[in-house]
Amino acid sequence: DIQMTQSPSSVSASVGDRVTITCRASQGISSSLAWYQQRPGKAPNLLIYAASTLQSGVPSRFSGSGSGTDFTLTISSLQPEDFGTYYCQQANSFPRTFGQGTKVEIK
Amino acid sequence: EVQLLESGGGLVQPGGSLRLSCAASGFTFSMYGMNWVRQAPGKGLEWVSRISGSGGSTYYADSVKGRFTFSRDSSKNTLYLQMNSLRAEDTAVYYCAKEIYASVNYFFDYWGQGTLVTVSS
């Protein structure tokens, strides 16, 4: 199985800050990576797929980059509604696997 | 508008069975692979199973293989997850998720609201 490791596990930042979350795969997965946001009590929401493609309707302050084993999700200017937990997920092979999550808090 | 509505969750004793359903609408059901993803209380996301658009191909996490069966009924636009020999560690919110195909891979673009399964005596 491919293991996905996110860092940091949590981040507290102010509105307007740039926030970066990284995800590392235990083996190369090309660009087969997605990022999801999950607010408390809600279902996950797709933000980025194929490592860098912005899902329709997602604000442009979200961006994704990387390929192979190292990936990054960047929020260019943090907004109050961006709180929640962010997960990366590999779609290269079965079983699909998720990172452990990064909790984003607004200061 | 794509909608996914799970049902069938509840309290079940260890060793018992439960069948979850996911009613889909707003897209051509038979054209898309579908998945179940679960989340134990306070924990992260765990992929459970995937079924192809035709229903002819399925994949399972090792943790549920041999106990869970994923099926679909295109006449009813509904997915089913039959869960047998349930264990305490199966306690979770279960989400169904639709796939989007991009760059030779499949990602989860729509999710249901989830249904809670609690396995306890």
Side-chain angles (χ1 to χ4, degrees):
Chain A
D1 298 3
I2 298 174
Q3 296 206 11
M4 308 300 292
T5 304
Q6 290 180 231
S7 62
S9 56
S10 66
V11 57
S12 181
S14 299
V15 172
D17 284 353
R18 183 181 186 90
V19 173
T20 300
I21 300 169
T22 63
C23 178
R24 175 164 289 176
S26 61
Q27 62 190 74
I29 59 169
S30 185
S31 298
S32 305
L33 186 102
W35 290 97
Y36 302 88
Q37 177 196 36
Q38 186 180 34
R39 297 190 179 105
K42 301 295 185 181
N45 181 50
L46 177 65
L47 300 174
I48 302 283
Y49 61 91
S52 61
T53 303
L54 192 68
Q55 170 68 341
S56 176
V58 174
S60 59
R61 64 180 178 274
F62 291 93
S63 64
S65 64
S67 67
T69 60
D70 294 310
F71 301 87
T72 299
L73 173 70
T74 300
I75 309 172
S76 61
S77 177
L78 192 69
Q79 298 301 302
E81 61 268 30
D82 297 338
F83 71 94
T85 302
Y86 291 76
Y87 295 93
C88 62
Q89 175 243 325
Q90 65 83 16
N92 184 74
S93 61
F94 291 98
R96 305 305 197 207
T97 46
F98 291 87
Q100 80 279 15
T102 295
K103 187 173 183 179
V104 174
E105 297 177 325
I106 311 295
K107 279 183 185 175
Chain B
E1 178 191 5
V2 172
Q3 291 194 351
L4 300 170
L5 186 61
E6 302 96 336
S7 60
L11 175 64
V12 61
Q13 292 188 338
S17 297
L18 209 57
R19 189 179 80 159
L20 305 184
S21 300
C22 174
S25 61
F27 63 100
T28 305
F29 184 70
S30 62
M31 288 187 63
Y32 292 89
M34 301 293 294
N35 294 258
W36 289 97
V37 177
R38 69 184 180 183
Q39 187 169 36
K43 302 298 184 182
L45 300 170
E46 180 189 15
W47 173 82
V48 173
S49 183
R50 190 249 184 191
I51 192 167
S52 62
S54 67
S57 172
T58 52
Y59 295 87
Y60 298 93
D62 285 347
S63 58
V64 307
K65 199 173 295 182
R67 300 188 298 122
F68 289 13
T69 302
F70 194 177
S71 62
R72 63 191 300 160
D73 184 341
S74 292
S75 68
K76 297 181 179 179
N77 282 10
T78 300
L79 307 169
Y80 302 101
L81 186 67
Q82 178 65 45
M83 305 186 295
N84 299 331
S85 304
L86 283 162
R87 307 166 180 165
E89 54 265 35
D90 295 318
T91 294
V93 173
Y94 285 73
Y95 297 100
C96 63
K98 171 186 166 294
E99 288 180 345
I100 181 175
Y101 177 75
S103 301
V104 307
N105 290 122
Y106 298 93
F107 306 94
F108 310 145
D109 64 339
Y110 286 94
W111 298 62
Q113 86 290 346
T115 188
L116 176 62
V117 173
T118 303
V119 184
S120 175
S121 55

